[in-house]
Amino acid sequence: MSNPPPSPPAPTEAGAPPAAPAGEAAHRAAFSPLYRQIKGLILQSLDRGEWKPGEAIPSELELASRFKVSQGTVRKAIDELAADNILLRRQGKGTFVATHHEEGVRFRFMRLAPDEGDPVQSDSHFLECRRLRAPSEVARVLELRPGDAVVQIRRILSFTGVPAVVEELWLPGALFRGLTAERLAGYKGPMYGLFESEFGVRMIRADEKIRAVAASEQDAAWLGVAPGTPLLQVDRVAFTYGDRPVEMRRGLCLTTRHHYRNSLN
């Protein structure tokens, strides 16, 4: 079994920063608790691909030895990562890197829920998938240079055969080389699962803005409603490790039979 790649210098158990001149008081004020530092080191390993989605990570005892901290400190870091749906604890088996193919994670980013019954997997009808130069707003949001290559996708999501969402997605072209309409149409799982398994890009969090809009003629035709019908517009920016934006998405949602669900903790 090969040795793990070298890790950044581990913090001390006391959690105190090294001695610094008075001019570094701001740095000291921003110092994070020890378990948060361990959480950051684990995230760095995940970002490097040391542990792939679906794979087990080392035990708490092994990580404590690796980072030279207590097992309790590691446990607290893992607890936060599990709460963030980045890691997944399995009773009696260990801790695994969560994957978008997991049933418990599949609906994490799908916030549209039926008014009655449990959420169901949507069916996708892809209208368009093309590569082009990034418009200025897309480049700004995805932190690209103006004119960099991006992939634009348009699709309709249906639940039990009824169209409910019109979506437009923008992705960095450099990360999604080889993504075509044919490849999308041939894939039957969740889209984030495809991004994870085929392109090595894992979405770990997203920011969303929501507002009410009126359906345009084209969107109304796709959704089978009258122009001007109220829709819920959801603008999302999804991030991978290191808080890097890797997707800009706009969804226009018909809420006749569905609602947007959220949990506030």
Side-chain angles (χ1 to χ4, degrees):
M1 185 174 178
S2 60
N3 294 324
S7 301
T12 61
E13 183 62 31
E24 296 186 18
H27 170 75
R28 287 184 173 182
F31 186 75
S32 62
L34 182 58
Y35 78 91
R36 286 282 175 84
Q37 297 176 53
I38 301 305
K39 177 182 178 181
L41 294 177
I42 294 173
L43 283 170
Q44 287 178 26
S45 292
L46 290 168
D47 192 10
R48 291 195 303 266
E50 183 176 344
W51 311 304
K52 301 291 193 301
E55 292 182 353
I57 69 169
S59 69
E60 291 177 359
L61 197 59
E62 290 172 309
L63 290 173
S65 175
R66 171 174 173 172
F67 297 130
K68 297 179 175 58
V69 296
S70 71
Q71 188 175 350
T73 298
V74 170
R75 181 177 298 118
K76 194 168 183 180
I78 290 177
D79 284 344
E80 281 211 354
L81 290 165
D84 293 340
N85 293 294
I86 294 172
L87 297 179
L88 181 67
R89 292 188 185 277
R90 291 180 179 160
Q91 189 66 33
K93 295 183 178 180
T95 303
F96 294 76
V97 183
T99 166
H100 288 288
H101 294 283
E102 290 275 354
E103 286 297 329
V105 179
R106 181 170 295 188
F107 295 106
R108 178 185 169 203
F109 290 94
M110 172 53 74
R111 311 308 298 173
L112 203 65
D115 292 338
E116 298 181 3
D118 297 325
V120 297
Q121 184 64 38
S122 61
D123 295 320
S124 296
H125 172 62
F126 291 96
L127 302 167
E128 187 176 35
C129 177
R130 59 177 182 152
R131 295 180 70 88
L132 64 160
R133 295 187 182 278
S136 58
E137 177 64 10
V138 174
R140 183 188 66 79
V141 171
L142 295 181
E143 298 180 1
L144 304 173
R145 294 172 300 182
D148 277 358
V150 290
V151 178
Q152 180 193 34
I153 299 170
R154 285 196 178 99
R155 67 172 179 168
I156 299 172
L157 297 181
S158 299
F159 299 97
T160 60
V162 180
V165 185
V166 176
E167 281 192 329
E168 180 181 55
L169 295 77
W170 297 87
L171 306 165
L175 294 179
F176 292 90
R177 291 187 177 93
L179 182 59
T180 62
E182 293 74 20
R183 197 165 184 180
L184 288 167
Y187 182 79
K188 301 306 179 185
M191 182 174 282
Y192 281 179
L194 173 69
F195 294 169
E196 177 185 87
S197 58
E198 298 295 324
F199 298 93
V201 178
R202 181 153 186 260
M203 311 298 183
I204 63 172
R205 76 170 190 87
D207 289 338
E208 291 187 336
K209 296 178 181 179
I210 304 173
R211 68 182 58 181
V213 298
S216 67
E217 288 192 11
Q218 180 61 79
D219 295 327
W222 282 331
L223 293 171
V225 296
T229 297
L231 301 175
L232 199 63
Q233 177 179 300
V234 182
D235 292 325
R236 172 189 298 175
V237 180
F239 300 82
T240 188
Y241 300 111
D243 238 18
R244 297 190 299 274
V246 287
E247 180 200 54
M248 176 179 170
R249 178 187 298 220
R250 170 167 291 176
L252 298 172
C253 310
L254 184 62
T255 57
T256 307
R257 302 179 183 178
H258 294 78
H259 61 272
Y260 187 92
R261 60 183 174 85
N262 196 15
S263 298
L264 302 177
N265 298 320

